[in-house]
Amino acid sequence: MSTPSSNGNSSNERGDDRDGNRNRIEREISIAAPVERVWAVLTEPEHVGSWFGQGEPTPVDLRPGGIMHLDHGEYGRFPTTIVTVDPPHRFSYRWASAHPGEVAVEGNSTLVEFTLTPEGDGGTRLRVVETGFAEIEIPEDRIKTAGYESHSEGWTGQMENVRRYTEQLAA
């Protein structure tokens, strides 16, 4: 299902795993900014903390195996492990959202993958896919904030945050 955003761009909500196993979340949104600017917003310390965090710069070691520290306020701080850095088109990291403070590795984390595609009007189509919920154990007290439902809803809001923040930089 597509829903219009405040600027007329559409946000793709179809995203959840086609076979219904609730292991995949996918969201897409159009952003009125060039791919290079969207890449910077997703990967540079001064921007990451603004759209996903508490507004403070986020430490980012931008290389495969590097750590990006996401501060999710009351939900905890998360040392994510960067998997893919392919500027300015692909960026991915592992996120152990059920285990605040633990470094994300296979077995305790989901994989978050961003794909940036130029659009004809000088804008960017941004897609995020988060997978791996079926492969991890989430403690009972963290299901509400680290489970599939929470992330499914959360990515809808975060993609809008990225769009709004990026477009403000362009203004």
Side-chain angles (χ1 to χ4, degrees):
M1 147 177 106
S2 281
T3 56
S5 65
S6 61
N7 69 352
N9 291 332
S10 65
S11 176
N12 181 344
E13 297 289 328
R14 76 170 199 265
D16 304 330
D17 200 22
R18 290 172 187 86
D19 65 9
N21 74 3
R22 300 163 49 89
N23 195 39
R24 175 186 179 92
I25 297 165
E26 182 176 339
R27 300 286 180 265
E28 289 186 352
I29 195 165
S30 288
I31 300 175
V35 169
E36 293 78 12
R37 184 171 299 127
V38 178
W39 175 265
V41 165
L42 293 175
T43 61
E44 293 179 2
E46 65 272 21
H47 300 304
V48 176
S50 294
W51 69 268
F52 188 108
Q54 307 306 302
E56 298 294 320
T58 298
V60 178
D61 180 5
L62 191 60
R63 63 179 176 82
I67 301 293
M68 177 172 65
H69 297 269
L70 296 179
D71 183 349
H72 206 22
E74 66 183 285
Y75 304 111
R77 293 190 172 137
F78 302 91
T80 66
T81 302
I82 296 172
V83 176
T84 305
V85 179
D86 182 14
H89 302 290
R90 287 188 57 234
F91 175 59
S92 68
Y93 58 83
R94 291 201 151 279
W95 180 20
S97 65
H99 307 283
E102 287 185 29
V103 173
V105 296
E106 281 193 48
N108 75 349
S109 63
T110 54
L111 181 64
V112 176
E113 301 174 275
F114 292 98
T115 305
L116 296 78
T117 307
E119 290 190 315
D121 59 0
T124 301
R125 188 72 174 166
L126 177 64
R127 178 172 61 123
V128 64
V129 176
E130 184 175 10
T131 56
F133 292 94
E135 289 85 35
I136 60 172
E137 285 200 35
I138 301 174
E140 190 67 34
D141 66 332
R142 298 291 300 182
I143 289 175
K144 286 180 91 171
T145 59
Y148 178 88
E149 293 83 6
S150 170
H151 285 229
S152 183
E153 183 179 311
W155 279 119
T156 299
Q158 291 296 0
M159 292 292 273
E160 182 60 26
N161 288 345
V162 170
R163 184 197 63 76
R164 215 175 16 251
Y165 179 82
T166 305
E167 290 178 356
Q168 286 175 354
L169 289 177

